[in-house]
Amino acid sequence: MDSKSGITNFSAYVPNQAMSRTAMVDAIGWTKPSLKAFNTGSRRYVEWDEDPITLSVAAASSLELNTIKQLCFASTSAPFLDRQNAGIIATALDLPTTTHCFELSGSQRAGSSALINMSKITDNSILVAADCRKSKAGSPAEMLNGDASAALSLGTENVLAEIIDTETIYADIVDHYRTEKSGTDYYLEDRWFRDEGLNKIVPQAVSKLLVRQNISVTDISHFILPVPNPSMAKSVAKTLGIANEAISDSLYENCGYTGCAHSLLMLINVLDKAKADEWILLCGFGQGCDTVLLKATSKLVEKQRSSISLKNQLKKGKVETNYTKFLSSSGLIDIDWGMRSERDNRTAHSVAFNKTRDIYGFVGGKCTTCKTPQFPKSRRCVNPECSAFDTQIDYRFSSIDGKIKSFTEDWLAFTRNPPLMYGNVDFEGGGNIFLEITGFGVGEISIGTKVSTTFRIKDIDSKRGFHRYFWKAAPEKSGHHV
Amino acid sequence: MSNGIKDKVAIIGMGCSKFGERWDASPEDLVNEAFEEAINDAGIKKNDIDAAWFGVFYEEQNVGKSAYPLSQYLRLPNIPVTRVENLCATGTEALRGAVYAVAAGACDIALAMGCEKLKDTGFSGLPERTKGTFEDLYQPNFTPPGAFAQLGASYAHKHGIDMTDLKRAMAHVSWKSHENGFKNPKAHLRKKLTMEEIINSPVIAYPLGVLDCCGVSDGASCAIVAKPEIAKSLVGDNFVTVKSLQLSPSNGVEMGHGSWDGAHTLTTKKAAENAYKEAGISDPLNDISLTEVHDCFSITELVLMEDLGLSKKGHGPKDILDGKFDANGLIPCQIDGGLKCFGHPIGASGLRMNYEIYLQLLGRAKDRQLKNVKFGLAHNLGGIPNRNVAAISILGMNS
């Protein structure tokens, strides 16, 4: 049995939509010619019904969840300031209520700091980080950012990458900041940040760690430094004496910088290809620097063989070229959606609480008399040949695939990404559920189309600043990195 | 089944307001417009009515809650008034209440009134509403066209019909209703359409175009029902009686059980079986002279022809295109123009359908009048294909 704590599994989720940077520059480049510097590749972005919580559920649902004792959620753009976001994720994953759920926020180091903290826990645990940071239209951040989530399983058995040592330095260098009211980041002069911040603080933290472990920079096979502008990582590597080949892919080309999730997302990209015994140096920067030294184990090869790499996953997806659709997805333009958008979506919280496991966990019933799966769970079986009373046991639909039995593309119904699609889904193993459908374009669904379920925002109560979640049918295993 | 309702109750008077965008009228005006026609038709006095049933669906959004709007509009002498709601079957539900009360002997004469004033809600389709504290948490935010459009793709898939061909049959449904509605002064939309206009109309919810959808309008309709002895004392032997009144609500099978194919309405089939049995009709194709069915959308009418047993399974499109349900066909459907041309003021629609059958049976339908009318069938489908309430009434002459 291994005794050292480390990463025992990993999974990333990237939204299926990517916005072409060329299209962005074409649409908004007139405001500042300097934006042309970003005229390549694409950035991932979330649809209106996705947020860090839904991204986290999507990433973590691929991991082994049976023995989890702790769930840590890291984000700087979590939807709720005072309502436990991690608890929503845990409910959607249907984790036991005794799972210790907690979260970390406050800086771009939230992901790496969470990893440091979790490395000290010996329980089987999950760390999931996700960010969907809003940026102003026409800002460099809009070009550089991306939305995604990264989930890690941590434990002491079957470790894929051991966490050898960690180091941290704090420094209140305000290269950017965001307040509750501002909504988007305010950026300072980036050369000052590069020269006085990154290039001085990162080497301090790294040196301390490497000296303590008696490791040379040339021993590092993978150097992870997530920064919005990838050229800055090269500058720091040069200062440290780390070879260009060891600098990990910034994922700029078709993902973008995913905030506090990015150190872990880049780590997953490294773990997809790292060889046994290679040293990985992960840094996280945000008003200071976290460093985590990891060592790949021989067990990693098996995982690499059995899963789709993040790199391959990023090759898939839909590239959007309509800039207004991109802006609308994050609510940056106020589109006239008509009277149907005025419906009052007030939530009856007493009902929502009673039905938390039904709705967030997507737990229905299975009749013990006739074995019919059904949703929602009810007192009497839905099978007309049975209708037995109080015979249903819990039956979770969230991990079951299905196929479309009926559908429409509804241009009358309100949705922030018309047309609203919905239909009857016939689940493998039984069960018919009338569900909203997401992730398909017009003309992409037909009867029999295979679908998976995905945890999404169901309704937004804009009057009260609340929103609720439920599961929707989506293209089979879209966006997943397993 | 029990003895049922056949011939136990007569309809002695009916009325129907002009349907349409009645910006000029209040619910009070519409109710009185329908009532004056019915009371004059019946030849009785208002105070002869023992009890009333009042059907309104979107109560808060137009007429208001409870029984008192009707009591107040008609200045009824504090007789019992029951407000009923059963989705799009609300009007028929009001009729059922009145008919059952008379059949039970609790009343000699009863009134069924349905009214809806939709246009003042400001929506071009039906207004938005919530689905209840639990269902709002998971039910899709469907619209009626979107929910009924589901029948289209499922039907095409099940019967192996190309969507272009199905669209043509659906268009014929709308075309035929506009041909009929054109002649009806009480209809909302009185305009003939070409097949091409319908087929090419802008899509609302795939595969439905805007001209596959019924209108949204304001209207009221009512019936005065009485013991057959009273009808006889008023008009002799020649009066209309209720042959059957059936209601079949979903029990959750369509929404939650894999056995439903998504390409038909399960409840209509059940209600029709019971209605034919109650009316003593063994051969509907021969005995039913006309139908007024719930053509909220063209695809609905298409599948209903099969669910009512008037077309064989999978033969609906061919029968429709062959003109079987046209004004000069074997069993004309929506001879008054249907929901398609009248629009669908929900509380009133069921009674409006029965109003046309009543006129046809008594030979009063003027240039829409059909020959040799034996039985007329009215059908409502409240809700959506996934979950609904099907109501069927069959009327005929006193036997």
Side-chain angles (χ1 to χ4, degrees):
Chain A
M1 184 188 281
D2 296 304
S3 56
K4 279 183 183 169
S5 177
I7 293 160
T8 55
N9 205 348
F10 51 89
S11 169
Y13 179 87
V14 286
N16 207 35
Q17 314 80 235
M19 182 65 208
S20 154
R21 291 197 185 92
T22 304
M24 290 164 80
V25 170
D26 285 348
I28 197 84
W30 61 272
T31 59
K32 35 181 109 57
S34 58
L35 290 178
K36 283 185 184 147
F38 309 113
N39 200 11
T40 57
S42 60
R43 56 152 294 178
R44 296 282 159 162
Y45 71 98
V46 286
E47 252 312 327
W48 74 269
D49 62 353
E50 297 172 292
D51 68 7
I53 286 180
T54 68
L55 296 185
S56 295
V57 172
S61 59
S62 301
L63 302 176
E64 171 59 45
L65 302 170
N66 282 339
T67 59
I68 296 307
K69 300 275 189 267
Q70 320 241 5
L71 172 81
C72 178
F73 170 58
S75 180
T76 70
S77 51
F80 292 98
L81 294 179
D82 190 354
R83 178 197 177 191
Q84 201 188 43
N85 301 283
I88 301 171
I89 297 167
T91 315
L93 296 172
D94 202 30
L95 297 180
T97 51
T98 50
T99 309
H100 181 208
C101 299
F102 54 98
E103 40 202 272
L104 217 78
S105 186
S107 88
Q108 295 300 295
R109 276 196 289 143
S112 54
S113 291
L115 182 59
I116 291 175
N117 284 359
M118 299 297 277
S119 69
K120 292 163 187 162
I121 296 170
T122 51
D123 287 337
N124 284 342
S125 53
I126 284 181
L127 161 60
V128 59
D131 251 339
C132 309
R133 293 165 314 134
K134 280 189 186 181
S135 44
K136 283 192 171 168
S139 65
E142 186 182 42
M143 307 286 163
L144 292 165
N145 287 349
D147 303 328
S149 61
L152 304 177
S153 296
L154 295 131
T156 54
E157 289 178 40
N158 295 314
V159 169
L160 308 176
E162 290 173 7
I163 298 173
I164 305 297
D165 200 358
T166 67
E167 187 56 70
T168 187
I169 286 175
Y170 80 88
D172 186 32
I173 178 164
V174 186
D175 59 299
H176 78 282
Y177 63 90
R178 175 169 17 118
T179 66
E180 185 192 344
K181 281 183 183 166
S182 69
T184 53
D185 294 356
Y186 183 84
Y187 287 91
L188 278 295
E189 216 276 314
D190 61 358
R191 284 187 301 281
W192 162 70
F193 162 60
R194 181 191 64 197
D195 298 340
E196 296 300 309
L198 278 178
N199 259 324
K200 288 188 176 166
I201 298 166
V202 175
Q204 277 177 45
V206 167
S207 303
K208 241 175 142 184
L209 183 66
L210 296 188
V211 167
R212 188 161 66 232
Q213 288 296 326
N214 197 23
I215 291 172
S216 157
V217 286
T218 55
D219 294 332
I220 303 297
S221 301
H222 306 279
F223 174 59
I224 296 168
L225 178 59
V227 280
N229 192 334
S231 64
M232 292 192 185
K234 284 183 185 166
S235 168
V236 175
K238 196 176 170 189
T239 306
L240 279 166
I242 291 174
N244 268 345
E245 306 80 71
I247 302 172
S248 298
D249 186 343
S250 67
L251 307 175
Y252 171 84
E253 177 55 29
N254 47 17
C255 179
Y257 172 70
T258 61
C260 81
H262 210 57
S263 56
L264 307 186
L265 196 69
M266 287 175 70
L267 173 63
I268 287 172
N269 189 42
V270 165
L271 294 174
D272 276 336
K273 60 191 174 191
K275 297 184 180 71
D277 298 326
E278 280 186 341
W279 291 102
I280 302 164
L281 181 62
L282 176 147
C283 301
F285 196 89
Q287 289 80 53
C289 181
D290 291 327
T291 52
V292 181
L293 183 67
L294 301 106
K295 192 174 194 184
T297 73
S298 56
K299 293 195 170 68
L300 194 53
V301 184
E302 212 173 296
K303 162 76 179 169
Q304 288 166 348
R305 238 185 264 133
S306 63
S307 60
I308 306 160
S309 71
L310 174 60
K311 208 75 189 160
N312 280 336
Q313 192 56 49
L314 282 168
K315 286 176 189 161
K316 298 178 188 168
K318 293 178 186 172
V319 177
E320 181 60 61
T321 54
N322 185 330
Y323 184 61
T324 57
K325 276 189 89 172
F326 165 73
L327 290 182
S328 170
S329 69
S330 55
L332 279 174
I333 46 170
D334 190 13
I335 288 177
D336 174 16
W337 295 118
M339 285 174 69
R340 290 187 189 279
S341 65
E342 296 166 9
R343 192 183 63 185
D344 194 327
N345 283 320
R346 187 175 196 281
T347 298
H349 286 284
S350 52
V351 178
F353 179 63
N354 282 342
K355 302 287 186 184
T356 300
R357 206 164 163 237
D358 304 51
I359 300 299
Y360 285 6
F362 209 179
V363 176
K366 184 173 184 176
C367 177
T368 49
T369 303
C370 72
K371 315 293 179 209
T372 299
Q374 47 208 284
F375 184 88
K377 191 197 271 186
S378 55
R379 300 297 298 274
R380 292 188 190 273
C381 176
V382 73
N383 178 357
E385 308 297 323
C386 176
S387 74
F389 184 61
D390 278 349
T391 54
Q392 293 173 44
I393 54 169
D394 293 342
Y395 187 79
R396 200 169 156 228
F397 281 95
S398 60
S399 54
I400 303 173
D401 290 345
K403 57 184 182 187
I404 296 289
K405 190 161 99 178
S406 76
F407 73 97
T408 191
E409 295 155 359
D410 188 340
W411 293 93
L412 185 66
F414 165 57
T415 167
R416 289 166 179 80
N417 187 16
L420 182 70
M421 300 188 196
Y422 48 92
N424 288 289
V425 176
D426 195 7
F427 279 81
E428 285 172 13
N432 179 93
I433 310 178
F434 195 37
L435 286 174
E436 286 186 18
I437 302 167
T438 191
F440 287 95
V442 171
E444 290 180 356
I445 308 178
S446 54
I447 305 292
T449 298
K450 287 187 173 180
V451 289
S452 298
T453 61
T454 181
F455 189 68
R456 294 293 174 104
I457 294 170
K458 169 77 170 64
D459 292 301
I460 295 174
D461 177 0
S462 45
K463 218 174 186 178
R464 299 168 191 86
F466 190 77
H467 57 266
R468 52 191 182 221
Y469 300 86
F470 186 52
W471 295 78
K472 299 182 185 179
E476 202 180 16
K477 300 276 182 284
S478 62
H480 283 272
H481 166 64
V482 184
Chain B
M1 190 191 278
S2 61
N3 289 333
I5 206 80
K6 186 183 178 187
D7 289 332
K8 290 178 180 169
V9 180
I11 300 181
I12 59 171
M14 288 198 81
C16 184
S17 76
K18 158 84 178 155
F19 278 35
E21 294 178 332
R22 295 292 304 269
W23 310 117
D24 60 308
S26 65
E28 180 190 4
D29 295 326
L30 297 173
V31 162
N32 274 291
E33 194 176 318
F35 182 72
E36 281 302 300
E37 184 185 349
I39 197 97
N40 290 330
D41 177 23
I44 60 162
K45 292 191 171 56
K46 190 177 73 179
N47 286 4
D48 295 335
I49 297 168
D50 296 318
W53 276 258
F54 185 37
V56 181
F57 177 65
Y58 285 107
E59 76 279 59
E60 276 98 344
Q61 284 160 291
N62 62 106
V63 175
K65 270 184 168 330
S66 91
Y68 65 68
L70 181 66
S71 188
Q72 188 176 304
Y73 298 160
L74 299 181
R75 302 293 183 201
L76 294 173
N78 307 107
I79 59 167
V81 181
T82 307
R83 185 243 157 174
V84 296
E85 182 279 304
N86 217 347
L87 299 167
C88 302
T90 295
T92 304
E93 195 63 287
L95 178 65
R96 207 167 70 98
V99 165
Y100 273 33
V102 170
C107 299
D108 288 342
I109 300 177
L111 168 70
M113 172 71 75
C115 177
E116 209 84 31
K117 190 84 177 67
L118 291 176
K119 293 308 297 182
D120 292 338
T121 64
F123 281 87
S124 56
L126 290 176
E128 285 288 319
R129 62 189 173 94
T130 69
K131 301 175 186 70
T133 52
F134 180 36
E135 295 207 353
D136 271 352
L137 302 178
Y138 67 94
Q139 285 282 3
N141 290 326
F142 60 80
T143 62
F148 277 93
Q150 312 269 329
L151 290 169
S154 297
Y155 185 94
H157 183 260
K158 182 177 179 182
H159 297 291
I161 296 172
D162 186 79
M163 187 52 84
T164 313
D165 296 335
L166 185 62
K167 283 275 286 180
R168 180 152 284 274
M170 286 158 58
H172 189 99
V173 167
S174 298
W175 170 84
K176 166 268 299 163
S177 294
H178 276 266
E179 290 289 312
N180 296 343
F182 179 73
K183 295 179 184 170
N184 195 332
K186 290 194 174 182
H188 173 189
L189 304 168
R190 300 184 64 198
K191 187 188 173 194
K192 292 191 178 192
L193 298 172
T194 66
M195 288 286 285
E196 281 60 41
E197 276 179 296
I198 300 165
I199 290 169
N200 298 322
S201 65
V203 66
I204 286 281
Y206 173 84
L208 301 177
V210 69
L211 293 176
D212 287 300
C213 308
C214 75
V216 172
S217 54
D218 306 324
S221 190
C222 67
I224 298 172
V225 299
K227 287 179 175 175
E229 305 89 275
I230 292 175
K232 200 166 185 176
S233 71
L234 289 167
V235 294
D237 288 333
N238 201 29
F239 56 88
V240 173
T241 61
V242 178
K243 303 297 178 186
S244 72
L245 256 176
Q246 286 294 326
L247 191 75
S248 176
S250 295
N251 59 15
V253 166
E254 302 97 312
M255 193 70 98
H257 192 248
S259 55
W260 179 56
D261 61 6
H264 78 290
T265 68
L266 199 148
T267 51
T268 300
K269 207 163 172 293
K270 192 72 192 165
E273 283 167 15
N274 291 339
Y276 295 143
K277 196 172 172 190
E278 186 174 38
I281 292 171
S282 55
D283 184 5
L285 274 173
N286 193 46
D287 289 342
I288 300 291
S289 310
L290 77 154
T291 61
E292 289 285 328
V293 305
H294 200 81
D295 59 326
C296 50
F297 305 98
S298 57
I299 186 66
T300 322
E301 183 174 318
L302 186 149
V303 303
L304 288 175
M305 291 301 104
E306 299 181 11
D307 298 338
L308 290 168
L310 305 179
S311 277
K312 286 181 187 165
K313 284 283 166 203
H315 288 232
K318 186 178 182 305
D319 287 350
I320 285 165
L321 288 167
D322 287 347
K324 184 174 175 179
F325 308 111
D326 291 356
N328 58 358
L330 184 64
I331 310 171
C333 180
Q334 332 293 41
I335 192 66
D336 67 347
L339 294 176
K340 182 75 189 79
C341 294
F342 265 81
H344 185 23
I346 298 175
S349 286
L351 283 156
R352 187 272 301 159
M353 295 168 166
N354 280 291
Y355 173 76
E356 178 66 14
I357 290 167
Y358 175 81
L359 295 180
Q360 291 283 349
L361 284 164
L362 294 173
R364 298 187 197 162
K366 297 182 180 164
D367 53 352
R368 304 187 307 280
Q369 185 61 48
L370 301 169
K371 288 176 189 162
N372 304 319
V373 177
K374 190 176 178 188
F375 294 120
L377 179 150
H379 162 274
N380 296 126
L381 193 78
I384 60 173
N386 266 59
R387 186 172 56 185
N388 54 69
V389 177
I392 290 178
S393 51
I394 297 176
L395 306 183
M397 296 307 289
N398 182 38
S399 44

